[in-house]
Amino acid sequence: KSKKRDAKKLNQVFSHPQERKYMQEITRNSKMYYLICEIERTVTGAKERLTGAVNQTMTETYWRIGRYIVEFEQDGNGKAIYGKNLLSTLSKELTLRLGKGYSRPNLNNMRKFYLKYPNCQTVSNKLSWSHICELIKIDDDLERSFYEKQCVKERWIQRYSSDLQRVVIKREFWNWQIKELKSTSQKMS
């Protein structure tokens, strides 16, 4: 079955008859086919691990930047003295020194990320920066936690779709909570 599926896939990928014939010969030679599959699996796995490591490093870096901003704003005080020009000034300087990615809104997201997640490790290896930017918009801790778990459970990938944004708009959390309350009340009756 898998060879038939692979042959069909080859026909889609290789449109030229010569290419198709060559690839069909490879699939007939099981040792060569096995070698190709092993290499493909190894490279694909490495790419996935690399993407995960880059995402985790980027997320942890953004959390630290958020911490630096909050600590600078508070300057040893319990409550922040927030200057409107701080993020604009930081944005200009960091963009000049480091390039793109340090706009005022993005710096504000980094700041909010630190404030909403005092422990970066809870999300840095599970969620992308795009997910985090959506989650920090949610004020209710229970609701935010629900969506965090949904992102991981449903394997929502932000760069391919805006699943999280769509679900948050629909307010699936509240629908879930209402179902839970109804279920609990029916059990009590």
Side-chain angles (χ1 to χ4, degrees):
K1 276 187 174 179
S2 67
K3 282 193 176 184
K4 283 183 182 179
R5 184 179 61 234
D6 289 341
K8 188 176 181 180
K9 190 176 176 182
L10 288 173
N11 287 335
Q12 292 170 350
V13 175
F14 299 101
S15 57
H16 193 275
Q18 285 296 111
E19 292 174 334
R20 229 184 349 246
K21 184 178 178 185
Y22 176 72
M23 290 310 293
Q24 287 170 345
E25 287 175 20
I26 288 176
T27 56
R28 280 190 211 114
N29 180 341
S30 62
K31 286 182 180 181
M32 178 62 83
Y33 182 73
Y34 177 77
L35 174 64
I36 291 169
C37 289
E38 281 301 303
I39 293 170
E40 180 183 35
R41 227 183 331 269
T42 300
V43 171
T44 301
K47 285 180 180 179
E48 288 172 2
R49 287 189 307 279
L50 184 59
T51 300
V54 167
N55 180 65
Q56 184 173 352
T57 302
M58 186 175 81
T59 303
E60 289 172 359
T61 301
Y62 286 168
W63 182 87
R64 283 185 171 164
I65 292 170
R67 184 181 76 197
Y68 299 151
I69 292 169
V70 169
E71 288 174 354
F72 182 86
E73 288 172 339
Q74 290 181 345
D75 193 29
N77 300 321
K79 195 170 184 180
I81 303 165
Y82 183 69
K84 289 183 179 179
N85 293 329
L86 173 65
L87 294 182
S88 296
T89 304
L90 270 177
S91 175
K92 288 175 189 169
E93 281 299 314
L94 292 174
T95 301
L96 281 172
R97 294 171 186 231
L98 303 170
K100 293 180 181 181
Y102 301 96
S103 65
R104 189 181 184 289
N106 208 27
L107 290 172
N108 194 40
N109 283 339
M110 294 174 201
R111 183 182 163 280
K112 285 180 183 178
F113 177 36
Y114 172 74
L115 292 170
K116 297 274 185 187
Y117 294 94
N119 181 0
C120 176
Q121 299 305 319
T122 58
V123 292
S124 67
N125 63 343
K126 298 175 192 162
L127 301 173
S128 71
W129 178 242
S130 299
H131 286 120
I132 291 166
C133 287
E134 289 300 319
L135 290 167
I136 60 177
K137 295 175 186 175
I138 302 170
D139 291 325
D140 185 270
D141 292 341
L142 183 61
E143 184 179 3
R144 191 175 341 98
S145 175
F146 170 80
Y147 288 119
E148 287 167 23
K149 290 173 185 163
Q150 286 299 106
C151 284
V152 174
K153 178 182 169 190
E154 301 295 329
R155 303 184 127 206
W156 290 337
I157 302 171
Q158 191 67 23
R159 65 181 173 174
Y160 296 123
S161 69
S162 55
D163 291 332
L164 174 60
Q165 196 172 28
R166 179 184 50 77
V167 171
V168 169
I169 290 168
K170 285 185 174 182
R171 292 305 206 209
E172 226 173 76
F173 169 74
W174 296 112
N175 295 335
W176 168 78
Q177 204 169 30
I178 289 167
K179 286 178 187 174
E180 289 294 309
L181 288 172
K182 285 180 182 176
S183 173
T184 305
S185 66
Q186 286 175 353
K187 288 177 185 176
M188 296 177 88
S189 313

